[in-house]
Amino acid sequence: GEAPPVAKSLKGHLGESLQKKSVKREEQMKKVQDYFLYFMLYSVIGWIYEVFLEVVVYRWGFSNRGALFGPYCVVYGFGAVILLLTLSGLMKKKLRLGPFPVTPVLVFLGIVLITTAVELAASYIMELTLGAWQWDYTRFAFNFQGRIALNPSIRFGIGGMVILYLLHPLAVRLTEETSPRIQRAAALICLIVLAADCLHLVLKNWI
């Protein structure tokens, strides 16, 4: 016979709850996928920036500036994602000091502090795992053990402003205009390439 009204109601609530959880899980997975693609994008941009400095600005000649084999510097990717996660809320606030807007100034200072901390941590991680880090800032004033320095930190601040205020809105628009199927395929390919690269690094240095 037909289920009692109470059983129907419970079944309906259960189905609705499961559907909400499924939608929420999909949204979370989509967010993780988006941030992974942003991580890869800014890792590649960071690698291009490093190579540009070496080849064009300092004229040292080409070398692979990433710790991995591929054309990406993952420290830039991690730094960019951390900036997005920590400073996006501040960017939306319209803080003023009298007639002067101070939000961009605070964002810039936040970028300088965060990227400097990321670079310092990365230098210790690379030293621990690879025996050395890939940069030397001893030629700059106000440096700490050649790991961090004021000059590159200011440059990272400027670069972070370019990413947050110019590049990232374009990246968000690109992901919104790209079909979910292509996004999933791109994320999967990037994940496989990155995993293979990390495995190659492990085999090369520790086995």
Side-chain angles (χ1 to χ4, degrees), residues 17-32:
S17 176
L18 290 173
Q19 186 176 9
K20 285 182 179 178
K21 286 182 179 179
S22 177
V23 170
K24 188 175 181 180
R25 193 179 304 114
E26 287 181 8
E27 289 176 349
Q28 290 173 340
M29 290 301 296
K30 176 66 167 60
K31 191 172 183 179
V32 170

Side-chain angles (χ1 to χ4, degrees), residues 2 24 27 32 34 47 60 72 80 85-86 96 112 119 121 195:
E2 189 176 347
K24 188 175 181 180
E27 289 176 349
V32 170
D34 287 347
W47 184 87
W60 293 341
Y72 32 72
L85 293 174
T86 56
R96 305 184 73 86
V112 170
E119 187 168 45

